[in-house]
Amino acid sequence: MLALCNVVSRRQLMRYRGGENGYADRFEAGLRDRCDVRHALAVNSGTSALIAALVGLEIGPGDEVIVPAYTWMATAVAATAVGATPVLCNVDASLTIDPDDIERRITRNTRAIIPVHMNNLVCDMDRIMDIARRRNVAVVEDASQAVGLSYKGKAVGAIGDAGVFSFNQFKNITAGEGGALLTNNEKIYARALMYHDIGASTREGANLHNQIVFASMNMRVSELTAAVLYTQLQRLDGIVRNLRARRETVLSALKNIPGAEPAPHNDPENAVGLAIRLPDADAAAAFAGRMDRTSRAIDSGRHIFTTWKPILDRTAADPRLNPRNWAERDVDYDVAAFQPTMAHLARTCLMETPFRLPHPMLRRKYRKAAQSWTA
Ligand SMILES: *Cc1c(COP(=O)(O)O)cnc(C)c1O
């Protein structure tokens, strides 16, 4: 509140001319510091950050970008926004992108992989980075759903060539809308910086890395948004600690429920997110029916590629700008090609909102549920 009042009383609601006291600048400095990364750029959404990252990497028409078949549609849409083709990839039992399947889906047109840390569940970044280096493709981490987490001691979002956060209503920290791009690569940053502000060559830092000036978009973040984000960033450690404690609570209740076990996790020691794996789809449905605010991942609707109508239909605002025009081949979005994903989603449950319940209430609920199970 105080931060918002500051912005309004200074009458400086746009980030420029805010100087070093501007919240956008301070928020970016906070992200750089926290994630131990050279460059951070605050933007108006996670989708914008993904698009800016792909532009930063010079990805465009004719290129292929590998994205998981289980993510928010924005991950795939970002590829089409730069004229590239999203190539879908299975997820494994961890509900994150399957490294073996990435290998199979790389072609000579593949330019990037976008691993998505879904539901605070981190991807197998060691294997993904190894594949990417070997096959000479870039990695853009979509950490929209894992802001503030780490993988084997490194901040997620700072491991790939670029990484993005979202701060919309449903994320670990939020300003209603907002996003950020992280990178250690000056060229990616310079191009993203240019792209996020209509290609304005007059702005500070716009001539970094001697980039050519190009026409683009407005993805700027306002000082009002940045003030909220700056304040939330100070709370992020506490939020993550809280999520971890809740995970432990649910895990200990699960011990009493036959067949329910934590899904494989790519960094168990630092785990924050929890997916619960049942022996099969029916057992998962029964579990979800008995547990409060719990559903099978397959019932989460919009995060599954089968609901991504514009991607499946391969439509564009103007047919002349359709990425299909430049693609060397058509890609397979048929559900039959993604049976492993569908099977994992069907037998794995997620708890939608336990993290919004006060912790003692959560503990009571899960204790009771576990007791009723064994009774
Ligand atoms: C939220 C989210 C985004 C970006 O969403 P915005 O609403 O544009 O901030 C991208 N990818 C994933 C996986 C998300 O969950």
Side-chain angles (χ1 to χ4, degrees):
M1 266 316 277
L2 186 64
L4 281 173
C5 292
N6 277 338
V7 172
V8 174
S9 66
R10 277 187 213 145
R11 298 175 194 276
Q12 185 52 56
L13 275 63
M14 192 193 199
R15 74 168 297 170
Y16 296 113
R17 294 194 229 115
E20 273 164 27
N21 284 325
Y23 283 104
D25 279 29
R26 285 159 74 189
F27 175 62
E28 288 170 350
L31 281 181
R32 287 196 300 269
D33 192 43
R34 180 186 174 93
C35 300
D36 193 21
V37 71
R38 224 169 289 150
H39 307 285
L41 178 67
V43 292
N44 58 359
S45 78
T47 307
S48 295
L50 281 167
I51 296 169
L54 295 176
V55 168
L57 283 158
E58 299 177 279
I59 289 170
D63 294 338
E64 294 179 3
V65 176
I66 296 180
V67 304
Y70 174 59
T71 175
W72 174 232
M73 187 172 73
T75 318
V77 165
T80 66
V82 299
T85 304
V87 172
L88 303 189
C89 182
N90 278 306
V91 298
D92 62 23
S94 72
L95 300 192
T96 64
I97 196 163
D98 176 358
D100 292 324
D101 204 40
I102 291 175
E103 292 256 29
R104 288 191 284 271
R105 293 181 196 269
I106 291 177
T107 69
R108 65 200 173 95
N109 294 315
T110 307
R111 292 284 320 282
I113 307 162
I114 311 186
V116 182
H117 307 294
M118 279 297 276
N119 306 297
N120 283 321
L121 301 163
V122 295
C123 300
D124 187 349
M125 290 310 295
D126 283 346
R127 283 202 59 203
I128 293 166
M129 293 311 293
D130 174 61
I131 293 166
R133 297 295 176 247
R134 251 189 307 111
R135 307 291 297 267
N136 196 26
V137 297
V139 172
V140 176
E141 287 177 86
D142 184 343
S144 295
Q145 297 195 11
V147 176
L149 270 58
S150 65
Y151 167 86
K152 300 188 180 174
K154 283 188 207 150
V156 301
I159 302 166
D161 299 279
V164 312
F165 291 148
S166 165
F167 309 113
N168 84 18
Q169 173 87 42
F170 308 106
K171 315 302 190 195
N172 289 350
I173 57 173
T174 179
E177 301 285 359
L181 169 114
L182 306 180
T183 183
N184 282 309
N185 181 307
E186 186 178 82
K187 182 174 176 186
I188 294 173
Y189 173 69
R191 289 178 56 85
L193 183 69
M194 172 89 66
Y195 192 76
H196 108 292
D197 188 17
I198 69 158
S201 55
T202 51
R203 305 279 198 211
E204 197 184 318
N207 286 325
L208 258 182
H209 212 83
N210 289 324
Q211 284 303 294
I212 53 157
V213 177
F214 50 83
S216 56
M217 303 271 166
N218 176 0
M219 301 176 163
R220 294 188 309 258
V221 74
S222 89
E223 278 290 283
L224 290 170
T225 296
V228 175
L229 292 176
Y230 176 77
T231 310
Q232 293 243 311
L233 190 62
Q234 321 303 316
R235 303 201 180 121
L236 186 53
D237 280 332
I239 291 169
V240 172
R241 250 196 322 274
N242 201 338
L243 289 170
R244 277 177 66 94
R246 284 154 187 257
R247 181 180 192 276
E248 290 304 317
T249 295
V250 177
L251 271 183
S252 61
L254 284 187
K255 289 197 184 102
N256 299 316
I257 302 178
E261 52 180 53
H265 191 285
N266 290 308
D267 183 13
E269 275 175 36
N270 298 300
V272 173
L274 177 63
I276 302 162
R277 191 169 152 88
L278 283 297
D280 56 43
D282 289 342
F287 178 83
R290 283 182 76 162
M291 302 305 272
D292 193 47
R293 298 163 202 245
T294 302
S295 58
R296 299 188 306 169
I298 202 161
D299 300 326
S300 65
R302 296 184 301 172
H303 293 98
I304 303 166
F305 78 101
T306 50
T307 65
W308 302 347
K309 192 166 167 50
I311 297 291
L312 301 182
D313 293 352
R314 299 155 169 88
T315 46
D318 186 311
R320 291 165 296 188
L321 285 172
N322 195 320
R324 233 182 163 176
N325 298 342
W326 307 296
E328 193 175 73
R329 62 177 188 123
D330 197 16
V331 290
D332 192 0
Y333 296 148
D334 194 66
V335 69
F338 299 96
Q339 281 314 311
T341 297
M342 301 311 273
H344 289 305
L345 296 177
R347 64 181 283 195
T348 310
C349 289
L350 296 162
M351 286 161 299
E352 247 168 61
T353 52
F355 300 140
R356 298 215 172 92
L357 277 182
H359 195 175
M361 263 175 73
L362 176 82
R363 191 178 295 131
R364 262 200 308 278
K365 275 201 150 129
Y366 271 82
R367 261 201 208 129
K368 247 171 74 185
Q371 278 160 8
S372 81
W373 211 280
T374 42

